[in-house]
Amino acid sequence: MARTVSQWNWTDFGQEWSQTAAINELNHDIGAERRARRRELEAVQSEIGQGLKQVGSRLDTVADRIDLLLTWTDLRFQVLELDEYQARREIRSAFRALAEGRPARFPELPDLPGYWLPPAAAAILPLVFRGRGGANAKGANLTTGLDAARGRDAVRAELFNLAVGRCFGQAVLVDAAFLRLIADPADLGECGDGQVANAWRALWEHAALGAFGPNAAVQLTGRLRELFDPEKLDDEETAAWDAAILGTGTVAAEAFNALRVHLAAEPEPVDLADLDRRDGRWRRYLEELIEEPSPAELPIVGEIESLGFDDGPDRSRPTWAEPAGTVAALVRRDLFEPETPIALRRLALDLAAPLLRARLEHLQESMEAPAPAVVTVRRRGAAVDVTAAGHDADEAAALEDRIGLHFDTKGPSKPVYTATGAAIGVLAAALAAFGQWVPAVFVALAVLIPVLMYRGDDKKARKETEKRDGQLADLRAALFTARADASEADKAAAAAHLADRTALERLIKALPGAD
């Protein structure tokens, strides 16, 4: 029977079971392969989707950039079509050719309502063209053209005159423009309240250095006296003046002596030709005035600049109009900065001498005698303050007591140890009396124990006493040394205070207007 079952198992059922297992295994493999392919397909689809999104984003960006470029191109063509732009281009070409020494052509400049540059250039260019062979210099009348330009924009017209005069050696333009600008600079540079524009600051510096003649410095000083009012300085500016006076921020004789020497320096002759070569501000300002958009161009140019295509400076915000600082801050800078030309420093001193004197006298009144020096002696967590006059006796006594608490100097009690030895001796005698000689001997030897203990405790007490006395002596020596140090510190502080006051008095006497 078993063999029949075995034959049956190995023939029909076994074969069917094996085939079913193989089919299941194949289905499992096919399913796994299908899932793997599905995952790969999903990954590819995800990558394609992301790529399409990136492409779409880049296409949108490119489209936006194209729109911006088209907008920029359209705005540029709008500017190019303006008569104001053509006039500026003609003026720029003429001045550039003159500056580079090339043959120049006098531009045709039709009058454009509201625009100051064409009448100013038409009036000034004949002066610059004069003496140049082959140059057609038939321009507008000088007075008429300049009056027309001033009527449209007085600040820019006068700056233009001054810049052309400085760059092309036209003294008549320089003198006339300087007088007008020095007399009424309120709107120059369109700066905020109390701020001086860079162009007027350049005028200030060059006038002080003699670039506009000897009378220019006098006129500049008079105008600056009107603008510089020490009584109106706020607390922040006053603190800045005090900090500049002190230099390092500490009242010291060295600071006052250095300031006195700094202010007493005599000006040296200024090489005006070298000044013109080194200082290119007037040429830059002239370029900015020519390149600055006209009122008609300004809205369009503002839109162009807002697109962000041009990485250069905004022509609608020239550097000549940027603030250089307040009058008080510029005077302070000229007075204290080591790199300031001495002529400019002397002008600042002439203006600020009363303010400087007032601040120095304020410092003098606030200079109090130095407080007595205090040297602190610390021991065992306590302290005693020592001055040149000495120290508090109670504090010192309390500190000595505090030191004594850390040492056991009492020593052993001699009567106690003597009584103990006597008792042991009596016990030994009693034992001997009863014939107990051996115990009596041992007890008699025990008499040495209290003797030895007394000597050990007495030795320890003497050592503790020596340590205590040593620390007390060290404390007294430290108090003595501290008193000497405090005395020396008082002498040094007094000497420094005297030196500070002496140097400050000498500085005050050295100021202009001193008696």
Side-chain angles (χ1 to χ4, degrees):
M1 176 64 76
R3 182 175 181 180
T4 303
V5 172
S6 177
Q7 286 291 334
W8 183 78
N9 287 338
W10 281 104
T11 54
D12 298 333
F13 178 78
Q15 185 176 2
E16 183 179 353
W17 182 83
S18 300
Q19 290 175 353
T20 302
I23 292 172
N24 292 336
E25 184 177 358
L26 181 60
N27 288 334
H28 180 269
D29 293 341
I30 292 174
E33 183 69 19
R34 184 182 298 112
R35 288 190 295 273
R37 293 294 178 266
R38 185 181 297 112
R39 286 194 296 269
E40 292 178 0
L41 179 60
E42 291 174 353
V44 171
Q45 290 175 343
S46 176
E47 292 179 1
I48 292 175
Q50 292 178 358
L52 291 176
K53 289 181 181 179
Q54 293 177 357
V55 170
S57 176
R58 291 178 181 177
L59 288 176
D60 292 340
T61 302
V62 171
D64 293 340
R65 296 291 290 180
I66 291 175
D67 290 340
L68 288 176
L69 183 59
L70 291 175
T71 303
W72 178 84
T73 304
D74 180 61
L75 293 172
R76 288 292 299 167
F77 275 112
Q78 292 182 34
V79 172
L80 295 177
E81 292 173 357
L82 293 175
D83 294 335
E84 287 82 357
Y85 174 81
Q86 300 300 329
R88 287 196 302 103
R89 187 179 66 175
E90 291 289 331
I91 295 170
R92 179 176 63 247
S93 298
F95 274 107
R96 183 171 296 172
L98 291 170
E100 296 174 357
R102 296 185 285 105
R105 180 182 62 82
F106 193 88
E108 296 181 3
L109 298 174
D111 190 26
L112 300 172
Y115 192 18
W116 66 271
L117 183 58
I124 290 175
L125 276 173
L127 294 177
V128 184
F129 270 82
R130 185 181 302 168
R132 292 176 179 268
N136 177 16
K138 295 180 180 180
N141 178 271
L142 178 63
T143 303
T144 304
L146 292 182
D147 286 343
R150 293 186 188 111
R152 296 172 181 179
D153 196 320
V155 171
R156 285 172 173 80
E158 295 302 344
L159 274 180
F160 182 73
N161 298 344
L162 182 58
V164 172
R166 291 292 295 167
C167 294
F168 294 96
Q170 299 296 325
V172 63
L173 295 177
V174 173
D175 294 340
F178 175 80
L179 290 175
R180 290 179 180 273
L181 291 172
I182 204 65
D184 187 17
D187 297 330
L188 181 59
E190 303 173 356
C191 295
D193 184 30
Q195 295 288 324
V196 176
N198 282 332
W200 209 84
R201 172 59 175 174
L203 181 78
W204 175 350
E205 294 179 2
H206 284 208
L209 296 175
F212 303 125
N215 293 329
V218 177
Q219 294 168 330
L220 172 66
T221 303
R223 184 60 179 139
L224 289 175
R225 288 193 192 282
E226 299 175 5
L227 300 174
F228 180 60
D229 187 358
E231 299 296 330
K232 295 183 179 180
L233 298 185
D234 56 21
D235 294 339
E236 183 179 356
E237 183 62 29
T238 302
W241 276 79
D242 291 342
I245 290 171
L246 297 177
T248 59
T250 304
V251 178
E254 291 78 4
F256 296 132
N257 289 330
L259 182 56
R260 179 169 53 82
V261 173
H262 173 79
L263 298 178
E266 292 292 335
E268 300 177 354
V270 178
D271 187 348
L272 298 179
D274 181 64
L275 176 64
D276 289 336
R277 286 192 299 270
R278 289 185 293 103
D279 193 334
R281 282 179 290 180
W282 292 115
R283 175 164 183 164
R284 183 172 73 252
Y285 296 158
L286 177 59
E287 293 175 353
E288 290 178 347
L289 287 165
I290 296 174
E291 293 293 339
E292 187 176 7
S294 65
E297 297 174 272
L298 192 57
I300 304 175
V301 172
E303 291 186 40
I304 293 175
E305 291 175 349
S306 66
L307 297 178
F309 278 103
D310 189 3
D311 293 334
D314 293 341
R315 294 186 296 122
S316 60
R317 289 186 288 273
T319 61
W320 65 263
E322 293 179 357
T326 63
V327 175
L330 294 173
V331 170
R332 170 169 48 83
R333 186 190 310 168
D334 291 344
L335 188 62
F336 294 104
E337 286 292 332
E339 296 80 10
T340 302
I342 297 178
L344 199 58
R345 185 188 308 166
R346 298 302 291 271
L347 171 61
L349 179 60
D350 188 17
L351 292 169
L355 172 62
L356 183 59
R357 179 185 299 279
R359 300 317 304 165
L360 291 174
E361 290 176 350
H362 174 74
L363 288 174
Q364 189 177 36
E365 293 173 359
S366 63
M367 291 177 61
E368 300 179 353
V374 177
V375 180
T376 302
V377 177
R378 301 182 184 277
R379 294 291 188 279
R380 297 287 182 179
V384 176
D385 292 334
V386 184
T387 65
H391 58 270
D392 188 276
D394 293 338
E395 290 183 356
L399 183 54
E400 289 183 355
D401 293 341
R402 189 181 184 91
I403 291 174
L405 292 176
H406 291 79
F407 298 96
D408 184 9
T409 59
K410 187 176 181 180
S413 177
K414 190 173 183 179
V416 172
Y417 281 97
T418 302
T420 301
I424 295 174
V426 170
L427 178 59
L431 291 174
F434 288 101
Q436 301 293 324
W437 295 106
V438 174
V441 171
F442 282 105
V443 172
L445 292 175
V447 174
L448 297 176
I449 295 175
V451 174
L452 294 176
M453 291 178 63
Y454 174 80
R455 290 182 177 180
D457 292 343
D458 182 63
K459 184 178 180 181
K460 182 179 180 181
R462 286 197 302 271
K463 289 183 177 180
E464 289 287 298
T465 302
E466 291 176 0
K467 290 181 180 180
R468 182 203 62 187
D469 293 344
Q471 292 198 10
L472 292 175
D474 176 70
L475 171 63
R476 297 183 185 108
L479 293 174
F480 180 81
T481 302
R483 184 173 183 178
D485 292 342
S487 178
E488 291 297 324
D490 286 344
K491 293 178 182 178
H497 179 69
L498 178 61
D500 292 345
R501 295 192 65 86
T502 302
L504 184 55
E505 291 172 0
R506 293 179 64 187
L507 175 59
I508 294 175
K509 291 180 180 179
L511 295 179
D515 297 335

